[in-house]
Amino acid sequence: MRDDRVEAKREAEALDEPAREARELTERLGLAPYPVRYWVVDHDQMNELIAYGGFQRRYPHWRWGMNYERQAKLDRHGLGKAFEIVNNDDPAHAFLQESNAAADQKAVITHVEAHADFFANNEWFGLYADRGEGGPNAAARLERNADRIASIAKRADVDRDEVERLVDAVSALEDTIDQHSPVDAARSVEEPGVAADEDADGDPLAAIEGRIDDLDLSEEVRRDVFDDEWLEARGEGVEPEEPRPDVLAFLRDHGKRYDPESGKAVDREPWETTVVDAIREEAYYFAGQKQTKVMNEGWATYWESVMMGGEGFAGPDEFLTYADHMSRVLGSPGLNPYKLGFELWTHVERRAARRDVTDKLLRVEGVTPENFHSRVDLDEVAGLLEPHPAIAGAGPATLDALADLAAAGDPRVDGETVDRALSARGGDPNADPDPDDEDAPDIERYPWKLLTREGLSERHYVLSRPEHRGALRNVSREALTEQARYLFDVDRYETVADAIADVDRAAGWDRMFEVRESHNDVTFIDAFLTDEFVREGNYFTYEYSRAAEEYRVASVDAGDVRKKLLLRFTNFGKPTVVVLDGNFRNRGELLLGHRYNGVALDRERATATLERAFELWGRPVNLATIRAEYDEGDARRAKRRGEEPEGTEVGVRYQYDGGEVTEHDLDAPIEDRIAADGVDYDTKPDDWLA
């Protein structure tokens, strides 16, 4: 009979050494990850973790079961096997599937170590993680939220269905936060909004509005007599001077609950505010992952490839398995964050390394941007950039040469490890190590132990890799001229060899580490998706043609490709909605504004979201947006001519008051507030149907 606990323990023990060595290699490469705790789990446990977003416990809700069923079906049919899942925490927790092959477990461990480095050093993760001495402490925080909401649902005075309803409403709006600020930045009050039935001595705005409603005044009298200035003079007001991006915080601070018995908004119960706070906090925790999906997965994939392939962390009998699975990951169809991220990070590395080399070569006597390609022998440069043979082939066979370099004080060599390796061999580099010497480094399996970061950066130098040796030939005269403008007449070199001797082999990695600290996916793509990257990667945009009634390739221009990708990643790829007014039309109504960027809202989803917002506001909710309308006659005529019809942009306001969603014309001043100037995500050329 199979004992699952014994099997899992045996598998975990077998991974102790790979995890330990992967951490040492990660740090030697210059990464600084959080500590990682590894757990070995079975298929069912892995599916549960995926359903729960990477954690072992979450608050009770039906969607976790839905997530589990979906993942279990994918797993059963071989369509979505998860090799690992890791969460952003200090320490990070990584869960490995026990059925993984040895090569997969090693790949997962190296991948996880790079993720842990990204978690610890990226500023966007820091918006949640920088919370005092305790750090992110995410597992404990989410577990505490789970306990709180579970205990609320069990209370005799609370209807469990009401808890589910509230969780549904908050979850539907969980991305309407200010992802660019810390979790606690947007809160304006410590307690929920003021009660509508407070006595007049406190003179709260909500009580005043309730009494005005009771007067049943016409809209004209209401506007003329009880205008904004009058109301603000008598109450705190909930009209933000600037649009508020954290919709959830605004609803938490000023929202109420609609009471169907009285037909009015009433104060929330304290437990309701607890639920809102818990789910909003978790939304901020997951925001860092959503904002850096391409960067984070690309970063982990890059360093995994360096360690598994470049440093032989995958043994000879494991490499084919690793390579096969890596090719499947990078070859997955659609917008693949692993592939896009890996290629962009390599592009960042290559650009920085190339700039460092051209900077040195432009300082060689007689070399100018105009004669660079004719005066500089790029084949000679390629040869000079090759790593030192002892560095490239570090291991037992080069131990003698490495010892000579170490004796000369070469910073690329770890002299202490070389000495211990020689000592274990009795001073003879060609002898076998003493099997009883526990201090002997295992340089047969882990030859990287003989090198420092300087040595590893030379060993993996991007411009000496076969696929990038033509990078210097592709640099344009214009780029060289621009670079030469910032060169001062110092540090001149007599020969190309002298210039190359000063090249910093770590320039590419150093630039990657700088970018890793401060960027998110939007800024990363905006900064580094260049003409060269688009051309070499064969990227293009596609659009739907109303005339042809099909999708067609629209553009291969880098600017167009960048625009389309930015649209996919800005605000998690979802519409940006902000609070415009918490006292719209002096009725205590909420007015949300869709930041229109040329892409219209999906009406069905927008109205469903309005209904959820109503549950958190307790009073009528409005959503201002803009859409393109097409005249049927114009569309038919354009189709006959093989042209695209011209739509007319129209402002519209949706309103939900607890009954049905109604549609209204949008006032021009509000339309002006939500329209984005100079933003156009349409990449269709004028003659694309010709």
Side-chain angles (χ1 to χ4, degrees):
M1 182 176 178
R2 182 178 185 270
D3 189 327
D4 291 340
R5 290 173 299 176
V6 172
E7 291 291 331
K9 185 177 180 180
R10 185 181 296 118
E11 180 69 19
E13 290 174 349
L15 296 176
D16 282 346
E17 182 186 342
R20 184 176 61 252
E21 297 297 341
R23 170 52 59 112
E24 183 181 339
L25 175 55
T26 299
E27 293 176 342
R28 192 166 293 236
L29 289 166
L31 282 72
Y34 281 141
V36 179
R37 293 178 180 171
Y38 289 96
W39 307 77
V40 176
V41 298
D42 60 27
H43 278 273
D44 192 59
Q45 291 170 324
M46 180 63 79
N47 291 338
E48 287 182 14
L49 287 161
I50 293 171
Y52 278 147
F55 290 88
Q56 294 166 297
R57 291 192 58 206
R58 299 294 297 276
Y59 53 84
H61 191 242
W62 56 265
R63 67 170 168 167
W64 312 128
M66 181 186 70
N67 292 347
Y68 174 83
E69 284 298 320
R70 181 173 57 234
Q71 179 59 35
K73 287 178 181 177
L74 291 172
D75 191 17
R76 253 192 325 268
H77 296 290
L79 300 174
K81 177 184 176 180
F83 292 98
E84 50 80 24
I85 190 166
V86 57
N87 57 43
N88 163 36
D89 208 351
D90 182 10
H93 294 265
F95 302 90
L96 284 59
Q97 192 147 276
E98 66 180 3
S99 62
N100 290 345
D104 293 330
Q105 299 291 40
K106 289 184 177 180
V108 163
I109 289 170
T110 56
H111 195 86
V112 162
E113 292 291 335
H115 272 314
D117 169 81
F118 197 90
F119 295 152
N121 296 286
N122 180 265
E123 291 180 0
W124 296 96
F125 279 96
L127 290 178
Y128 182 91
D130 295 340
R131 311 186 72 182
E133 294 181 2
N137 203 18
R141 290 178 188 272
L142 268 64
E143 185 170 342
R144 184 168 63 247
N145 289 341
D147 289 338
R148 285 175 174 172
I149 297 178
S151 65
I152 289 170
K154 292 177 181 177
R155 281 170 43 180
D157 61 330
V158 175
D159 186 342
R160 184 185 177 93
D161 290 341
E162 287 297 301
V163 179
E164 288 267 351
R165 175 197 58 77
L166 182 59
V167 172
D168 287 346
V170 181
S171 298
L173 298 166
E174 65 183 358
D175 286 333
T176 59
I177 58 175
D178 184 2
Q179 58 191 269
H180 303 113
S181 300
V183 60
D184 300 319
R187 292 274 306 282
S188 60
V189 297
E190 289 302 316
E191 298 299 332
V194 184
D197 58 354
E198 276 193 43
D199 95 26
D201 293 339
D203 203 23
L205 178 61
I208 295 171
E209 289 180 295
R211 290 168 186 160
I212 293 173
D213 286 341
D214 291 340
L215 296 176
D216 197 25
L217 301 173
S218 69
E219 189 66 26
E220 181 180 294
V221 171
R222 186 184 181 105
R223 281 199 307 266
D224 290 343
V225 179
F226 303 105
D227 58 14
D228 294 355
E229 183 177 351
W230 187 90
L231 279 168
E232 288 180 6
R234 286 157 178 77
E236 293 179 349
V238 286
E239 302 175 38
E241 294 182 6
E242 297 294 332
R244 290 274 296 273
D246 194 333
V247 177
L248 265 184
F250 193 86
L251 291 170
R252 185 271 185 204
D253 292 342
H254 304 290
K256 296 180 181 296
R257 175 171 57 84
Y258 181 74
D259 179 20
E261 293 184 6
S262 65
K264 293 184 178 180
V266 298
D267 275 354
R268 293 195 196 101
E269 295 292 333
W271 69 262
E272 293 177 287
T273 300
T274 297
V275 172
V276 175
D277 280 340
I279 298 177
R280 176 177 170 272
E281 180 190 39
E282 294 189 11
Y284 270 91
Y285 168 79
F286 288 104
Q289 297 181 33
K290 294 177 181 179
Q291 289 183 92
T292 60
K293 182 68 173 178
V294 170
M295 286 186 72
N296 196 351
E297 294 298 353
W299 181 262
T301 303
Y302 175 90
W303 292 107
E304 175 193 335
S305 71
V306 169
M307 290 188 269
M308 288 293 289
E311 282 305 325
F313 207 71
D317 58 332
E318 300 166 339
F319 184 79
L320 283 179
T321 300
Y322 160 70
D324 176 59
H325 288 178
M326 175 64 92
S327 66
R328 293 185 192 181
V329 169
L330 296 180
S332 298
L335 184 55
N336 184 337
Y338 297 85
K339 180 177 186 293
L340 178 59
F342 176 77
E343 291 178 348
L344 274 171
W345 278 118
T346 304
H347 185 60
V348 170
E349 177 191 23
R350 187 178 65 178
R351 287 182 73 200
R354 182 171 63 189
R355 185 176 182 85
D356 179 59
V357 171
T358 54
D359 176 86
K360 303 297 189 297
L361 292 175
L362 286 171
R363 298 175 189 272
V364 175
E365 295 294 343
V367 174
T368 67
E370 290 74 22
N371 67 16
F372 180 89
H373 288 287
S374 60
R375 186 72 179 266
V376 176
D377 184 345
L378 294 179
D379 289 330
E380 177 192 2
V381 171
L384 292 169
L385 289 174
E386 288 293 319
H388 188 288
I391 301 295
T398 63
L399 194 54
D400 200 16
L402 290 172
D404 291 340
L405 293 174
D410 195 307
R412 298 172 295 179
V413 180
D414 186 328
E416 181 182 348
T417 301
V418 170
D419 286 344
R420 287 194 289 119
L422 283 172
S423 177
R425 289 163 173 78
D428 182 358
N430 298 314
D432 292 329
D434 182 353
D436 297 325
D437 188 346
E438 296 181 358
D439 193 43
D442 188 352
I443 61 174
E444 287 84 0
R445 295 172 61 197
Y446 307 118
W448 46 266
K449 292 176 179 286
L450 297 166
L451 304 177
T452 62
R453 182 175 187 263
E454 289 86 347
L456 290 169
S457 64
E458 178 172 326
R459 181 171 159 109
H460 298 285
Y461 186 59
V462 62
L463 296 184
S464 65
R465 298 176 206 159
E467 65 269 29
H468 299 304
R469 285 176 183 161
L472 289 171
R473 299 185 189 279
N474 297 334
V475 66
S476 67
R477 178 182 296 184
E478 292 75 14
L480 292 168
T481 301
E482 180 69 18
Q483 186 174 351
R485 289 175 54 192
Y486 300 97
L487 295 180
F488 297 100
D489 194 20
V490 295
D491 297 330
R492 306 297 295 185
Y493 300 103
E494 299 234 347
T495 67
V496 167
D498 292 338
I500 297 303
D502 268 359
V503 165
D504 180 6
R505 299 303 206 283
W509 283 0
D510 290 344
R511 179 59 176 147
M512 291 171 67
F513 278 73
E514 291 172 3
V515 172
R516 175 260 268 142
E517 289 184 4
S518 59
H519 282 265
N520 59 32
D521 283 346
V522 170
T523 60
F524 187 55
I525 290 169
D526 190 41
F528 302 110
L529 196 134
T530 64
D531 291 343
E532 180 183 19
F533 180 84
V534 170
R535 183 177 62 254
E536 292 183 353
N538 295 317
Y539 284 88
F540 60 88
T541 72
Y542 59 92
E543 302 277 5
Y544 181 75
S545 165
R546 290 180 177 273
E549 297 182 344
E550 64 181 7
Y551 285 96
R552 293 190 174 185
V553 173
S555 175
V556 295
D557 178 73
D560 288 340
V561 173
R562 189 182 305 114
K563 281 195 300 186
K564 285 296 186 185
L565 285 173
L566 291 177
L567 177 63
R568 291 287 299 268
F569 293 107
T570 299
N571 196 48
F572 315 134
K574 297 181 179 180
T576 301
V577 176
V578 297
V579 176
L580 296 179
D581 195 345
N583 186 31
F584 182 55
R585 302 190 302 173
N586 288 334
R587 292 179 179 272
E589 297 182 8
L590 177 67
L591 176 63
L592 302 174
H594 166 223
R595 295 288 203 188
Y596 180 70
N597 56 10
V599 180
L601 292 176
D602 180 305
R603 188 185 190 283
E604 183 178 349
R605 293 185 179 184
T607 55
T609 304
L610 266 186
E611 295 173 12
R612 296 302 192 188
F614 174 81
E615 295 185 37
L616 298 175
W617 186 248
R619 290 150 285 177
V621 179
N622 300 266
L623 174 62
T625 187
I626 297 172
R627 69 184 177 204
E629 296 183 348
Y630 295 88
D631 180 80
E632 290 186 9
D634 291 344
R636 285 195 299 269
R637 286 188 289 272
K639 185 174 182 178
R640 286 197 299 269
R641 293 193 297 265
E643 299 174 353
E644 286 298 291
E646 291 289 335
T648 302
E649 292 185 344
V650 177
V652 62
R653 173 173 61 86
Y654 299 117
Q655 183 188 50
Y656 181 71
D657 60 3
E660 294 184 356
V661 175
T662 55
E663 188 176 308
H664 309 270
D665 292 336
L666 186 63
D667 294 338
I670 299 176
E671 185 174 343
D672 291 340
R673 291 182 71 187
I674 64 173
D677 296 327
V679 177
D680 182 11
Y681 288 99
D682 189 349
T683 62
K684 292 191 291 286
D686 294 335
D687 58 349
W688 80 318
L689 296 177

